[in-house]
Amino acid sequence: ATIYGSMKPFHIIGNVLHLSGHVPDRDGKVVHPGRLGETVTLEQGIEAARITGINALAGMRQALGDLDRVSGIIKSLNFVACAPNFHEVHKVSSGMTDFLAEVFGPEIGIGCRATIGIQALALNNCFETWMEVEFR
């Protein structure tokens, strides 16, 4: 069990890697805790999403041993903790998806995406992603 509860960090079916949720933490500390539109600015949310992308790369490397095995980001489901009147959740997610496009190039790094604004995330994180990755 982790601090988030009982779960596996990843699961592989065929050539698809399913990553558990990744969040913007650095050295065990939450980066930009809180909710967008209240205590977290749009710029901070975008940065948190980018850091989440870095952490997701670490999850891919843990699962696959080498990032060169990644052949495509299939999809990400992203969650933004936000105030009810915050309507720019898609801009927050772009912090992560733009980063993955920088790392892998657009053909591999841009996948399908959905973003949902929610009331709260574990440990007061402002962003979380759940991702599926194709690999060779």
Side-chain angles (χ1 to χ4, degrees):
T2 67
I3 56 173
Y4 295 102
S6 300
M7 69 178 85
K8 296 181 350 183
F10 63 88
H11 186 83
I12 293 175
I13 300 172
N15 66 334
V16 176
L17 167 64
H18 300 262
L19 288 177
S20 280
H22 281 71
V23 294
D25 63 8
R26 250 195 212 133
D27 302 320
K29 293 186 75 162
V30 174
V31 176
H32 302 308
R35 298 198 307 179
L36 276 286
E38 288 183 355
T39 59
V40 180
T41 67
L42 176 60
E43 293 74 22
Q44 289 172 324
I46 291 168
E47 180 185 15
R50 186 176 178 92
I51 292 166
T52 300
I54 293 168
N55 292 341
L57 286 181
M60 291 175 214
R61 187 163 181 253
Q62 175 190 14
L64 304 175
D66 188 344
L67 291 176
D68 288 339
R69 295 183 65 194
V70 173
S71 57
I73 303 299
I74 298 170
K75 67 180 177 180
S76 65
L77 178 57
N78 305 295
F79 304 94
V80 176
C82 61
N85 62 346
F86 183 82
H87 302 288
E88 297 182 307
V89 294
H90 61 292
K91 292 181 182 178
V92 176
S93 284
S94 289
M96 183 190 75
T97 55
D98 291 349
F99 169 73
L100 293 173
E102 289 172 28
V103 171
F104 293 114
E107 286 297 310
I108 294 172
I110 296 178
C112 301
R113 181 181 93 179
T115 304
I116 302 169
I118 61 171
Q119 184 173 329
L121 288 166
L123 303 179
N124 204 24
N125 280 289
C126 67
F127 186 81
E128 183 168 357
T129 191
W130 190 34
M131 199 178 296
E132 291 181 8
V133 179
E134 185 178 18
F135 68 92
R136 51 183 165 269

